[in-house]
Amino acid sequence: MPDSKMDETKKKKKKTAECCGYPISIFFIVVNEFCERFSYYGMRAVLVLYFRYFLLWDDDLATSIYHAFVALCYLTPILGAIIADSWLGKFKTIIYLSIVYAVGQVVMAVSTIHDITDANRDGTPDNFTLHIALSMLGLVLIALGTGGIKPCVAAFGGDQFQEHQSRQLNTFFSVFYLCINAGSLLSTLITPVLRAQECGIHTQQQCYPLAFGVPAALMVVSLVVFIAGSGMYTKTAPEGNIMGSVCKCIWFALNNRFRHRSDIYPKREHWMDWAEEKYDKLLIAQIKMVLKVLFLYIPLPMFWTLFDQKGSRWTLQATTMTGDFGGFVLQPDQMQTVNPILILTLVPIMDRIIFPLIKKCGLNFSPLKRMTVGMLFAATAFIAAALVQMEIDKTLPNFPSSSESQLKVVNMHSESLIVTVPSQEPLLIGSFESSPDYITFDQQDIRLAFNTTPEINKDLSLIKGSRQTLIIPSEPAEMYLKEDIKSKPKEGKNAVRFVNGWTAYLNITNLESSLQPSETSNYTLVSQGMRKFTLTDGIQSCEFSRKFGFGSSYTFLIPSDLFSTDCESIKEIEDMQPNSVHMALQIPQYFLITTGEVMFSVTGLQFSYSQAPKNMKSVLQAGWLCTNAVGNIIVLIVAELGKLPKQWAEYVLFASLLVAVSIIFSIMAYFYTYIDPAEIEAEILKQQETDPDKKKKKETLEMEEKENEQEIKQTKI
Ligand SMILES: CC(C)C[C@H](NC(=O)[C@@H](N)Cc1ccccc1)C(=O)O
């Protein structure tokens, strides 16, 4: 940095106003971060539902696009960092990319207004292509904005502190993390409620425009707050294309090392020292600092691989558990809010009690040690998850393997039946009853015999890996097979279906179509709690209510005396018992992973800032965020490839991998020496001032290069 520029920065630093030892400007930065994270997590909370129920995409497409979006959000930080450090500076980069971000959020909110294409006013959009195009454009802008500003905001916050404020600087990163989690917690609670409202001009629909509109508004507020602090910030100027210089310098050092590979040349301390002939000592020293930290980052994605499974595997685990807490009922996906809640309590506890206590005990709990311990906490969290999974497995139905098939028999006939099943004792099935449980067969083709007059023999071809029910209607000869669900219903819901034993067609609330006599409906999913079904044949009707738990499946048998008993004679067959392991059992694993997050993530944020040279702070923040992107990509790959037969075994495998990685990391950390980049930079600048030869050497080399180039040109002519 030219001296005049450095003086300018120093002068500006002196002027910063303080409150309780902190620069006042950071108030604007933390409020900005709170609003931005509210905007990001709020939008993310309803995104999959928007894909699924507004754009009507299937589950697979909706989740793939969602994950691709999240991965993009953690890849774009590198772009933002390059723009900030090489071209616009952090302040302008944050402003410009926040505008892109806010526009993206507005476009996204507009794409959810069904009225814009609902010409026939039937409540569904007429032109899905327009809605898809708008939402994809919105998401790309959001990813560019949120990812682009992410490394700049943290580093810009750090820039506000002066040398004597190093204690406050560490507290700043903790407060910054608290704001992230306060914003995300509030928005993940609020936006789903907004979505559940009904709104619209012509027809009332789920209010996605409000659910996306509020995050858009918060992003605008975030930008306004950031601009409001404009006069108070310490703004470090960018120093030209620093990334270009870094790449050229590394390339030159590698080439030069290769050209001088013979033993006759004296060895140099570091391979980057081979760039000394052409590049400034300061730049070489800065690159060494960055490379040292980036090398240390190599094992880190494994932490995020485990951490990010909170949102996928752990939420799926919660769908096989019960969330009835007496006074309130927690849905499986709401369990994730435990993470930000714990962050809000654990960060102050760690900062105020645990870390000072460790220091008082005379232990040196250095940042890299904290990060290693953080990793071990995350590994223990997965062991806890495996133990919970084992408990759940004990309560799960015995689903068929891919080579087995399962069968249940439901008797809607007016008399009991004796069914002879291959390699089983004959089954006695009462009228309006079913066989006690599913019978498992290794073979696909089976023959059943029924004691009716005349006796019926039925050949069945079962589906491998499936569960089926054989429905014997009032006229047994017309028996038929119906396929059953073979896994727990999604999102902790309950799967219900009806077999119509009434003599006429029936309309039942929640079912897609009316049910013919003897017909069995498809499954319909109902949420936990009291659910009411109205049954009508067009003339008579009755109501049937039942309280549901989580993750059960029932077949309801409708008898011929339905209306005379006012629906009370409806019989239920439990195909899958409700979940019995309580979601509270997940709290220990959330506690462990969040403790790990506080030690690993908050410390990593501070470490990335403190070990970066002044002109590469955003680049190192981006490198730090990239470890998260790589971790997410590993989750996607492992989810596709490594399907272990038992979920608990997969959790143990991940925990073991992270323990192995943390051992490697601790060895790497042992050899890492903490530096004060500002001190090193100042020392080199001082040395350069007292080394008049250096400038001359560089000029000679440049002239030699120019001459060489001219020679080459002339020989070409
Ligand atoms: C982990 C990210 C790289 C950093 C940070 N995230 C968090 O702090 C999470 N604890 C937030 C969260 C909120 C709701 C549900 C799960 C996680 C960030 O977003 O910057």
Side-chain angles (χ1 to χ4, degrees):
M1 192 196 252
D3 287 358
S4 57
K5 252 188 197 172
M6 199 134 91
D7 289 347
E8 224 176 86
T9 316
K10 272 184 190 161
K11 264 183 238 157
K12 272 184 196 159
K13 278 204 166 192
K14 267 179 208 154
K15 268 192 255 165
T16 50
E18 284 181 20
C19 173
C20 314
Y22 290 86
I24 292 187
S25 53
I26 59 148
F27 166 79
F28 296 91
I29 295 170
V30 291
V31 175
N32 159 273
E33 184 66 11
F34 170 87
C35 299
E36 188 275 324
R37 288 288 93 182
F38 184 109
S39 178
Y40 174 73
Y41 281 102
M43 180 270 309
R44 242 178 69 162
V46 284
L47 192 58
V48 175
L49 296 179
Y50 166 72
F51 289 156
R52 188 70 192 81
Y53 302 111
F54 187 98
L55 296 182
L56 305 179
W57 288 349
D58 63 29
D59 276 0
D60 287 344
L61 183 62
T63 34
S64 302
I65 300 289
Y66 172 80
H67 282 298
F69 166 71
V70 175
L72 191 64
C73 290
Y74 284 106
L75 284 174
T76 45
I78 200 79
L79 200 71
I82 292 174
I83 297 175
D85 283 350
S86 311
W87 178 28
L88 291 177
K90 294 179 200 93
F91 177 71
K92 280 189 187 159
T93 307
I94 295 170
I95 297 219
Y96 294 154
L97 286 181
S98 294
I99 294 172
V100 172
Y101 188 172
V103 171
Q105 288 281 31
V106 172
V107 172
M108 188 68 211
V110 171
S111 83
T112 66
I113 306 174
H114 63 91
D115 288 298
I116 58 174
T117 64
D118 188 12
N120 59 5
R121 302 183 180 188
D122 66 349
T124 45
D126 298 340
N127 183 354
F128 274 101
T129 319
L130 179 74
H131 289 275
I132 293 172
L134 278 178
S135 54
M136 291 305 109
L137 172 69
L139 288 181
V140 170
L141 295 178
I142 293 169
L144 203 66
T146 184
I149 62 171
K150 192 125 186 67
C152 305
V153 178
F156 189 65
D159 288 351
Q160 306 310 307
F161 292 83
Q162 296 177 17
E163 266 161 41
H164 68 276
Q165 292 172 310
S166 59
R167 191 183 54 80
Q168 285 89 341
L169 177 65
N170 278 346
T171 313
F172 160 73
F173 283 113
S174 299
V175 174
F176 188 76
Y177 215 82
L178 284 180
C179 286
I180 290 176
N181 285 275
S184 60
L185 173 63
L186 271 186
S187 65
T188 36
L189 291 175
I190 293 173
T191 45
V193 177
L194 297 178
R195 178 196 56 95
Q197 309 301 309
E198 292 207 332
C199 62
I201 302 168
H202 306 307
T203 55
Q204 297 293 294
Q205 301 294 321
Q206 289 226 345
C207 207
Y208 287 103
L210 192 61
F212 284 96
V214 170
L218 259 287
M219 192 51 222
V220 176
V221 174
S222 158
L223 178 61
V224 171
V225 170
F226 187 72
I227 295 174
S230 182
M232 292 181 212
Y233 299 132
T234 299
K235 299 171 196 158
T236 42
E239 298 176 36
N241 188 1
I242 184 79
M243 283 315 285
S245 314
V246 169
C247 295
K248 280 186 200 155
C249 183
I250 293 177
W251 183 242
F252 180 84
L254 288 172
N255 257 328
N256 203 23
R257 174 74 191 90
F258 186 71
R259 267 190 272 130
H260 300 93
R261 61 187 177 281
S262 157
D263 284 345
I264 54 166
Y265 297 106
K267 292 229 161 9
R268 297 190 186 180
E269 209 183 305
H270 191 283
W271 62 269
M272 268 311 297
D273 293 333
W274 287 94
E276 267 178 359
E277 278 89 336
K278 189 171 173 186
Y279 288 90
D280 205 23
K281 261 203 166 150
L282 180 64
L283 180 67
I284 295 172
Q286 289 171 330
I287 295 175
K288 279 188 202 167
M289 294 181 222
V290 170
L291 288 180
K292 250 173 78 177
V293 179
L294 287 182
F295 177 68
L296 212 54
Y297 282 174
I298 294 172
L300 303 190
M302 201 60 213
F303 173 87
W304 300 117
T305 303
L306 273 75
F307 182 79
D308 286 317
Q309 291 190 43
K310 281 191 307 21
S312 49
R313 288 271 193 270
W314 287 14
T315 306
L316 285 178
Q317 187 183 58
T319 64
T320 58
M321 303 173 89
T322 167
D324 195 344
F325 281 78
F328 65 97
V329 174
L330 206 65
Q331 297 302 325
D333 48 352
Q334 285 177 326
M335 205 49 206
Q336 275 199 71
T337 50
V338 172
N339 170 267
I341 294 172
L342 283 175
I343 287 275
L344 293 178
T345 41
L346 283 177
V347 169
I349 293 177
M350 292 281 183
D351 271 5
R352 302 272 149 170
I353 306 170
I354 310 287
F355 294 148
L357 258 179
I358 293 176
K359 207 174 170 186
K360 259 196 178 163
C361 295
L363 294 171
N364 171 23
F365 203 26
S366 66
L368 294 179
K369 279 186 196 158
R370 276 186 211 182
M371 288 170 76
T372 314
V373 174
M375 284 182 174
L376 293 175
F377 266 103
T380 340
F382 265 61
I383 297 292
L387 292 175
V388 171
Q389 190 61 48
M390 285 176 189
E391 276 308 300
I392 294 170
D393 285 352
K394 286 183 202 159
T395 68
L396 283 182
N398 174 26
F399 292 118
S401 69
S402 56
S403 60
E404 293 171 334
S405 27
Q406 291 184 332
L407 183 75
K408 195 174 220 180
V409 183
V410 167
N411 181 13
M412 300 286 286
H413 185 49
S414 50
E415 286 166 27
S416 297
L417 288 173
I418 296 176
V419 189
T420 315
V421 185
S423 31
Q424 298 261 335
E425 290 285 306
L427 290 171
L428 172 67
I429 309 173
S431 172
F432 275 78
E433 280 181 4
S434 78
S435 52
D437 200 357
Y438 285 92
I439 311 161
T440 305
F441 298 98
D442 290 329
Q443 71 272 38
Q444 227 174 329
D445 298 316
I446 54 162
R447 167 168 283 211
L448 301 185
F450 296 85
N451 70 328
T452 46
T453 33
E455 195 185 276
I456 299 174
N457 285 304
K458 182 84 178 167
D459 289 321
L460 297 173
S461 182
L462 302 174
I463 305 169
K464 286 210 164 184
S466 262
R467 287 185 142 189
Q468 286 166 286
T469 296
L470 181 68
I471 311 279
I472 302 161
S474 51
E475 194 50 67
E478 289 168 12
M479 65 180 79
Y480 60 93
L481 277 173
K482 189 86 185 164
E483 208 171 331
D484 303 356
I485 51 166
K486 53 182 179 190
S487 59
K488 281 270 173 186
K490 280 182 191 161
E491 296 162 10
K493 292 203 168 138
N494 303 280
V496 296
R497 63 180 179 181
F498 292 83
V499 187
N500 186 5
W502 174 240
T503 46
Y505 82 90
L506 277 177
N507 271 327
I508 305 174
T509 41
N510 294 324
L511 293 195
E512 285 161 8
S513 54
S514 59
L515 211 54
Q516 297 305 315
S518 299
E519 198 188 351
T520 304
S521 73
N522 290 329
Y523 284 106
T524 186
L525 291 178
V526 294
S527 308
Q528 176 275 344
M530 198 60 146
R531 300 285 154 238
K532 195 166 76 184
F533 301 89
T534 308
L535 291 82
T536 173
D537 63 355
I539 304 163
Q540 315 165 75
S541 70
C542 63
E543 273 179 3
F544 158 66
S545 303
R546 194 193 189 283
K547 196 174 178 199
F548 291 93
F550 290 85
S552 63
S553 167
Y554 293 96
T555 301
F556 292 112
L557 309 182
I558 301 168
S560 50
D561 58 355
L562 171 74
F563 294 113
S564 59
T565 60
D566 201 20
C567 274
E568 282 190 5
S569 50
I570 292 178
K571 196 138 193 202
E572 71 175 42
I573 308 285
E574 190 181 79
D575 296 332
M576 217 179 276
Q577 64 176 34
N579 303 341
S580 53
V581 178
H582 205 279
M583 270 186 220
L585 277 190
Q586 276 197 325
I587 291 175
Q589 69 203 54
Y590 270 97
F591 176 80
L592 288 166
I593 201 127
T594 312
T595 311
E597 183 188 352
V598 176
M599 298 217 173
F600 181 88
S601 190
V602 183
T603 315
L605 200 67
Q606 293 162 357
F607 177 79
S608 307
Y609 183 85
S610 71
Q611 299 299 291
K614 66 179 179 309
N615 52 352
M616 296 179 202
K617 299 249 185 229
S618 319
V619 170
L620 261 196
Q621 287 291 327
W624 165 249
L625 293 167
C626 264
T627 61
N628 190 306
V630 178
N632 265 291
I633 293 166
I634 298 176
V635 177
L636 283 178
I637 296 170
V638 172
E640 283 305 315
L641 298 180
K643 285 209 167 55
L644 287 182
K646 290 278 174 212
Q647 184 56 55
W648 66 261
E650 194 181 291
Y651 289 143
V652 173
L653 174 72
F654 276 118
S656 323
L657 283 175
L658 190 57
V659 170
V661 164
S662 60
I663 293 171
I664 297 171
F665 181 71
S666 64
I667 297 170
M668 290 163 82
Y670 179 78
F671 290 103
Y672 183 87
T673 30
Y674 294 90
I675 49 157
D676 179 353
E679 215 170 75
I680 296 178
E681 284 164 344
E683 215 166 89
I684 292 172
L685 280 173
K686 215 169 157 192
Q687 273 174 18
Q688 278 181 344
E689 272 167 25
T690 53
D691 183 7
D693 279 358
K694 176 77 195 167
K695 212 177 153 198
K696 267 191 194 164
K697 271 190 218 162
K698 242 181 101 179
E699 278 171 5
T700 325
L701 197 89
E702 274 166 14
M703 281 177 52
E704 271 173 17
E705 268 189 5
K706 267 189 197 156
E707 276 168 18
N708 279 347
E709 274 171 24
Q710 270 173 357
E711 263 174 39
I712 294 167
K713 267 186 202 163
Q714 274 168 0
T715 40
K716 271 188 187 164
I717 291 163

